Amino acid sequence: MSQIEIKDLIPREELMSSGHLACPGCGGSLAMRLVLKALGPKTIVALPACCWTIVAGPYPQSSLGVPLYHTAFETAASTASGIRAALDMAGDTETTVLAWAGDGGTFDIGLQALSGAAERNENILYVCYDNEAYMNTGVQRSSSTPWGAWTTTTPAGTPKSHPKKDILAILAAHGIPYGATASVAFPADLIAKVTKARAIRGTRFLHILAPCPPGWRTADEETIELARQAVHCRVFPLIEVEDGQRWRFSMEHPAEPVAPYVRRQGRFGHLTDEQIRHIQDETDARYARLEKRVKYGT
């Protein structure tokens, strides 16, 4: 797809100003910009503790052109559910309620509220921008942190020893009407998924890979290429699942080797060739399981 065609698919309206406080190269800030472009001004954001509570700017300022509710770490989904109920009582069926949380507030601390909202099929859009650690508080490991990664709580001598949690499968097991993965490196795919989710009633879940230069120990200008590599080497495949059963890939994944992706990140700098081969084997196994889901819905 040409750059002109991509530009035509992305709305021009900006609902995020340039005065935000994100680090240079922040994948999470680009994710928010693209999601709001797709949702438009009739959006209310529920924002728990995460990098974005800083990025948005200190009260009473905000870099977002839509209403924003700061809330407790574990309550993104429950706060969004309450906002949705209030809008319904007021007869407002057009405004989208967006719960926006990092991986710590989604995979870990906020999972109970998210599970409850999904079980009730609350009419909210929940987006997890995933930078694979608790970046706002100093790069501590989360259950989204990949196997073998350095963080301040899993230092190089004892790196992360458990695989990344399959959060999309967990949400799909609730039978929600729509879930998907997306990447800041593929804006047209991301915009299309948000647009599709906006038109669906019930709990919608979007998992966006958002590289973090300080936490990943990469250069600011590498963010988009890293996000693209993650998709191409099948570490972060782009998929959709409807009603918890109908899985599909939203693009081809070329099966590039994982080694170049891993080696350009300082957080993996301590790994041996054998350990990188382990990551490759695990990536291949996960993708094979995903292909089975796409083919058989299991």
Side-chain angles (χ1 to χ4, degrees), residues 166 233-237 239 247 249 253 255 279-298:
D166 189 348
C233 70
R234 300 179 171 180
V235 165
F236 194 86
I239 50 183
W247 295 72
F249 295 112
H253 302 92
I279 294 175
Q280 181 70 70
D281 291 343
E282 288 299 307
T283 299
D284 293 343
R286 285 196 305 271
Y287 196 80
R289 291 194 296 270
L290 184 56
E291 286 181 311
K292 183 178 179 181
R293 283 176 177 159
V294 170
K295 185 174 182 179
Y296 299 110
T298 59

Side-chain angles (χ1 to χ4, degrees), residues 66-187:
V66 296
L68 169 64
Y69 284 79
H70 286 278
T71 186
F73 213 148
E74 70 277 15
T75 63
S78 54
T79 299
S81 299
I83 295 170
R84 178 74 267 161
L87 291 172
D88 290 345
M89 290 181 68
D92 182 348
T93 59
E94 297 183 358
T95 299
T96 300
V97 180
L98 170 65
W100 182 274
D103 50 284
T106 302
F107 285 64
D108 301 334
I109 292 173
L111 184 60
Q112 88 295 359
L114 176 55
S115 177
E119 186 272 331
R120 297 188 302 272
N121 198 28
E122 298 282 0
N123 187 27
I124 63 173
L125 171 59
Y126 191 109
V127 174
C128 172
Y129 71 99
D130 182 7
N131 50 35
E132 299 190 323
Y134 289 84
M135 300 304 185
N136 188 41
T137 52
V139 196
Q140 297 90 9
R141 66 92 89 188
S142 76
S143 58
S144 172
T145 304
W147 180 92
W150 164 92
T151 70
T152 56
T153 51
T154 55
T158 54
K160 176 82 181 300
S161 58
H162 296 83
K164 180 170 182 164
K165 185 184 289 184
D166 189 348
I167 192 68
L168 184 60
I170 291 171
L171 269 295
H174 289 71
I176 62 173
Y178 185 75
T181 59
S183 168
V184 295
F186 297 92

Side-chain angles (χ1 to χ4, degrees), residues 194-260:
V194 176
T195 301
K196 183 175 182 178
R198 183 184 60 186
I200 296 171
R201 289 190 60 83
T203 302
R204 296 89 80 199
F205 178 77
L206 190 61
H207 179 198
I208 303 177
L209 184 66
C212 169
W216 290 23
R217 294 181 166 182
T218 56
D220 303 340
E221 65 272 16
E222 291 185 289
T223 292
I224 298 302
E225 182 56 31
L226 279 165
R228 184 179 295 112
Q229 276 188 294
V231 172
H232 285 175
C233 70
R234 300 179 171 180
V235 165
F236 194 86
L238 299 183
I239 50 183
E240 293 180 297
V241 56
E242 297 183 62
D243 300 319
Q245 298 178 350
R246 298 190 302 277
W247 295 72
R248 77 173 191 91
F249 295 112
S250 61
M251 64 174 54
E252 296 293 326
H253 302 92
E256 294 176 359
V258 301

